[in-house]
Amino acid sequence: MEPHLAKLLHSNEDPSKRTIFEIKEILQEPSRVLLANELELQRLEQAILALKKDQERIHDFIKPYNTILAPIRRMPADILHEIFYHCLSSHRFPIMDASEAPLLLTHICSSWRSIALSSPRLWAKVVISLLTPPHTDPTSLNSTEELLIQKYERAVALRSEVIETWLDRSGDCPLSISIMCPYSVNGGGDEWMTRMLDSIVSCAQRWHSAELVVPYLIYSKIEASISEKVERLPVLRRFKLKLQVPFNIRTPVRSQSESGTLIFLNSPKLDTLSLSWKRFTRNFRDMPPVWNQLRRLYLHSELPPTHLIPLLSQCPKLVECRLWISSDDYGNVHQTAPRTGRVSLPHLQSFIVHDTSISLATVTTFRVIDAPSLSRVGYTRSFSGSSGWDDNTTEILNTQLSSVCDLLGAGPVDKLMLALAYTPSETVVNILKKVSSPKHVILGQKPLPFRQAESTGSPRYMDTMYHQTLPGLNQFDLSNLIITDFSSSESIAEQVNILPNLEILEVYGISHFSDDDALELIKSRLDASKAGRVAGLKTVTFHFDRRIERDIKEEIDRYARAVSASPVELKLVYEMADDQPTHMKHGSSSYGLSGEGLSWASSVEYDEFQ
């Protein structure tokens, strides 16, 4: 731009006629080019639009031919069988619903339907939700109740047909089956429920894995029906039983007086047993002699501490074990376990104990276990003592807690979980000081649905069914894991004997630990790791029972880079979850699942190490 014209840009001076004429002369050629470009753009846009329409027309023409030439049409049936099998849920058995495999696969096309129906393996796993009759008085039915009963009868007839069809499609394959029924059932003896159960039991000889979460009335009918048809279940390898009992949030029912024979334990191949039935866990000697063949044992109802050694002595092949130890008589705390030598469990890798007992028998058991392969240990307690106990009882409890170290010394423990509610921090510190091998440590218990926490003996902390942590129960002071002066060899020698190999740390139910404290803990471990004093942290999970104070994730990342340490995967969770899990209706084919379908909700306890 000419200087005399540029000056006008910096003022409001009115341009002269000569200046106006000069500017119009300057803009004449650019304006012509601009107009030409706009016309060309319009032409090109129209051409592009025409090409796009032509492309769509050609695509529409080609698409049906490509459908005919699709490689999936030429894929061998055996490959499709394998693909279909991997469409099944990997975290539970399939439900009888058209929204997921295998039923979903029968709704795609006729050829896929034919392949799915000709693949028995697809139908060899199933979750069966038993329909329960409406709560009515048969002696005085009104019109509404009669309609409810008619609706129930139609639904049961249809459900029975679906069950029979599903099981027929499984051919001769070994079956993995889950049977779910709410504890509120009041019609276990009606003909419609009997029809459903008969359909299920008709193939009991093929049961490979059986999970029963049912009321005692239903279980007794299943057991009686099986006893009439077969002497034993020849291929059953995994059996899981939880008897549903009426539940009151404030006063849980913990007594079960039912009798039974547990015909399922007569299977010669049974190697996994999970029981939540007090009658048998408290009197395990009444059960068939299956113990020496078990590889996985999970007892979710009380086992007296004096029965620990006799039970474990009969299970030499155990690989995983989870027990609930509980005393009936707290006045008999001095009773010890039967005299015995070492209890050899050469294959045991995972051992989890929920302990509500106060007994020297537990101490004795922990001291005699010999498990050279033990790599995962969990120990939880719901309470630590009572002000009304005498000093001797309190001393026994402290001895019992200290004996956990004997259990940890039974093998090269790599993963440790301690959830000691109401237990003083120094008690936990003393345990951690005596073990150096764990790389993965969990302090406190992961959040569980309230009812599930009840069924496993965990303390009641809120009258709700929400997922939540245990607020205020984890009294461990995390500052004990901070290495304050890593430049002093004397200080380090005293401090690093607390988890020197720690790489993964999870802590739940934290009430008295700030975000700044968490930052200091992680930074101190990173500094000590750089100095070669301790192992480097890789993953840290803190579950706080409070609101967030400040975000420390970026600062941790920067600090890790500054000290040339590996990045720390940090997960910080604040407050308890507010969303109530979605429970399906009792008549649904997916009753018993959580809203996400990822795990059983409130009905089945955890078996595996969580």
Side-chain angles (χ1 to χ4, degrees):
M1 180 178 288
E2 299 296 332
H4 66 283
L5 296 178
K7 289 174 59 178
L8 293 174
L9 293 176
H10 303 287
S11 70
N12 289 326
E13 183 181 347
D14 185 21
S16 64
K17 291 183 178 180
R18 181 177 178 179
T19 301
I20 293 173
F21 179 79
E22 182 182 0
I23 292 175
K24 288 183 177 180
E25 284 289 325
I26 293 173
L27 295 180
Q28 188 173 6
E29 180 61 19
S31 297
R32 185 189 65 79
V33 174
L34 181 62
L35 179 60
N37 288 345
E38 289 178 352
L39 293 174
E40 181 65 13
L41 284 173
Q42 290 178 7
R43 185 187 68 79
L44 292 175
E45 287 174 355
Q46 291 175 356
I48 290 173
L49 184 60
L51 285 173
K52 286 183 176 179
K53 289 182 178 180
D54 197 39
Q55 284 286 88
E56 291 178 2
R57 180 184 60 79
I58 295 172
H59 276 304
D60 291 341
F61 178 81
I62 291 175
K63 185 176 180 179
Y65 292 97
N66 280 340
T67 300
I68 296 174
L69 297 175
I72 192 70
R73 288 173 173 262
R74 302 189 300 276
M75 188 169 292
D78 58 334
I79 302 297
L80 282 177
H81 280 299
E82 194 66 26
I83 293 174
F84 286 0
Y85 183 75
H86 284 84
C87 290
L88 299 179
S89 174
S90 59
H91 54 272
R92 56 166 169 77
F93 301 155
I95 60 175
M96 295 184 293
D97 194 286
S99 64
E100 69 174 58
L103 280 178
L104 177 62
L105 299 172
T106 66
H107 294 177
I108 307 301
C109 62
S110 59
S111 61
W112 280 28
R113 176 179 175 82
S114 176
I115 291 173
L117 295 181
S118 64
S119 179
R121 195 164 58 134
L122 285 179
W123 309 93
K125 298 179 180 180
V126 63
V127 175
I128 297 177
S129 175
L130 299 180
L131 296 172
T132 57
H135 293 267
T136 58
D137 182 1
T139 61
S140 58
L141 295 177
N142 57 39
S143 58
T144 302
E145 290 174 335
E146 289 179 352
L147 289 175
L148 286 175
I149 291 178
Q150 292 173 9
K151 182 179 179 181
Y152 163 72
E153 291 175 351
R154 289 194 299 269
V156 170
L158 179 59
R159 180 66 58 86
S160 298
E161 290 179 10
V162 173
I163 292 172
E164 292 171 2
T165 302
W166 187 295
L167 296 178
D168 285 343
R169 291 173 179 174
S170 66
D172 296 326
C173 288
L175 283 173
S176 296
I177 189 167
S178 291
I179 303 173
M180 312 291 294
C181 186
Y183 60 79
S184 58
V185 63
N186 69 340
D190 70 51
E191 60 177 304
W192 300 102
M193 180 67 74
T194 300
R195 178 178 174 181
M196 275 195 295
L197 295 180
D198 286 344
S199 300
I200 296 170
V201 171
S202 63
C203 55
Q205 283 192 306
R206 293 194 287 122
W207 286 7
H208 176 269
S209 174
E211 297 180 353
L212 278 65
V213 184
V214 296
Y216 174 73
L217 182 61
I218 299 298
Y219 172 74
S220 62
K221 289 185 68 65
I222 294 175
E223 188 177 66
S225 181
I226 291 177
S227 300
E228 292 175 0
K229 294 177 173 59
V230 296
E231 292 184 4
R232 59 174 55 190
L233 304 174
V235 298
L236 184 67
R237 300 188 68 92
R238 181 175 180 268
F239 177 59
K240 186 169 190 172
L241 172 65
K242 175 177 173 58
L243 283 191
Q244 295 279 55
V245 294
F247 178 83
N248 181 290
I249 287 179
R250 296 184 181 275
T251 310
V253 174
R254 295 195 183 278
S255 61
Q256 295 164 296
S257 58
E258 301 88 353
S259 61
T261 59
L262 280 179
I263 187 176
F264 295 91
L265 302 189
N266 290 326
S267 172
K269 295 185 178 181
L270 187 70
D271 66 9
T272 300
L273 174 63
S274 177
L275 273 182
S276 182
W277 191 355
K278 186 175 180 179
R279 162 178 157 73
F280 281 105
T281 55
R282 297 201 70 82
N283 302 283
F284 75 92
R285 293 180 179 87
D286 295 341
M287 296 168 63
V290 299
W291 306 105
N292 62 351
Q293 67 191 51
L294 292 180
R295 292 173 54 82
R296 294 170 183 83
L297 174 64
Y298 314 104
L299 300 183
H300 296 288
S301 44
E302 300 99 317
L303 180 75
T306 53
H307 289 187
L308 265 175
I309 289 179
L311 173 63
L312 294 176
S313 298
Q314 297 183 45
C315 305
K317 296 181 181 179
L318 280 183
V319 175
E320 296 180 14
C321 183
R322 184 173 192 134
L323 305 174
W324 176 5
I325 307 172
S326 180
S327 301
D328 275 339
D329 182 9
Y330 287 107
N332 194 19
V333 297
H334 298 280
Q335 185 177 8
T336 60
R339 291 185 176 274
T340 182
R342 304 290 293 177
V343 177
S344 179
L345 300 170
H347 309 290
L348 186 65
Q349 298 176 12
S350 177
F351 190 44
I352 306 172
V353 175
H354 179 66
D355 193 357
T356 57
S357 71
I358 303 173
S359 172
L360 289 175
T362 307
V363 177
T364 304
T365 301
F366 288 169
R367 288 177 176 172
V368 300
I369 289 178
D370 183 11
S373 301
L374 188 63
S375 61
R376 301 183 300 277
V377 171
Y379 183 79
T380 69
R381 285 195 72 89
S382 299
F383 63 92
S384 63
S386 169
S387 58
W389 290 343
D390 57 37
D391 293 341
N392 195 23
T393 301
T394 303
E395 183 180 352
I396 290 175
L397 177 60
N398 292 333
T399 303
Q400 196 168 333
L401 291 173
S402 299
S403 69
V404 176
C405 298
D406 297 306
L407 177 62
L408 295 173
V413 176
D414 184 67
K415 184 174 182 178
L416 168 65
M417 187 269 285
L418 288 176
L420 307 179
Y422 307 111
T423 302
S425 183
E426 54 268 22
T427 302
V428 182
V429 170
N430 289 334
I431 295 175
L432 296 180
K433 280 185 175 181
K434 295 179 181 179
V435 293
S436 60
S437 60
K439 297 179 180 179
H440 185 172
V441 174
I442 304 171
L443 300 174
Q445 201 161 21
K446 293 184 179 182
L448 296 175
F450 172 74
R451 187 181 296 179
Q452 182 168 306
E454 274 295 334
S455 65
T456 54
S458 299
R460 299 191 301 275
Y461 44 89
M462 288 188 72
D463 290 345
T464 174
M465 289 293 293
Y466 286 64
H467 286 272
Q468 54 201 316
T469 55
L470 307 177
L473 303 191
N474 187 354
Q475 298 183 7
F476 178 67
D477 185 358
L478 282 174
S479 62
N480 288 288
L481 300 182
I482 297 176
I483 300 177
T484 55
D485 184 10
F486 64 92
S487 62
S488 167
S489 59
E490 293 182 0
S491 176
I492 280 293
E494 181 180 349
Q495 292 184 52
V496 299
N497 59 359
I498 300 182
L499 305 177
N501 295 309
L502 181 65
E503 295 180 354
I504 302 174
L505 175 64
E506 300 179 47
V507 189
Y508 298 91
I510 309 172
S511 300
H512 308 291
F513 200 66
S514 68
D515 289 332
D516 287 332
D517 293 334
L519 177 64
E520 182 183 358
L521 188 159
I522 297 172
K523 290 171 68 174
S524 73
R525 305 288 297 196
L526 290 176
D527 289 337
S529 172
K530 183 179 180 181
R533 305 288 189 174
V534 297
L537 280 178
K538 296 180 179 179
T539 303
V540 177
T541 300
F542 289 150
H543 199 292
F544 295 99
D545 181 38
R546 59 169 174 78
R547 296 185 181 278
I548 186 173
E549 297 169 349
R550 72 185 186 95
D551 191 350
I552 63 173
K553 292 184 178 180
E554 290 187 6
E555 190 168 349
I556 291 295
D557 290 339
R558 288 196 301 269
Y559 195 82
R561 290 194 296 269
V563 298
S564 301
S566 300
V568 177
E569 182 182 344
L570 183 62
K571 182 179 180 181
L572 303 177
V573 181
Y574 298 88
E575 295 190 300
M576 296 173 290
D578 293 328
D579 296 329
Q580 185 176 13
T582 303
H583 296 281
M584 299 294 184
K585 296 179 180 179
H586 290 163
S588 164
S589 61
S590 56
Y591 165 75
L593 296 182
S594 68
E596 298 79 14
L598 297 179
S599 61
W600 296 107
S602 76
S603 296
V604 181
E605 295 90 348
Y606 289 125
D607 282 337
E608 294 75 16
F609 201 110
Q610 297 294 316

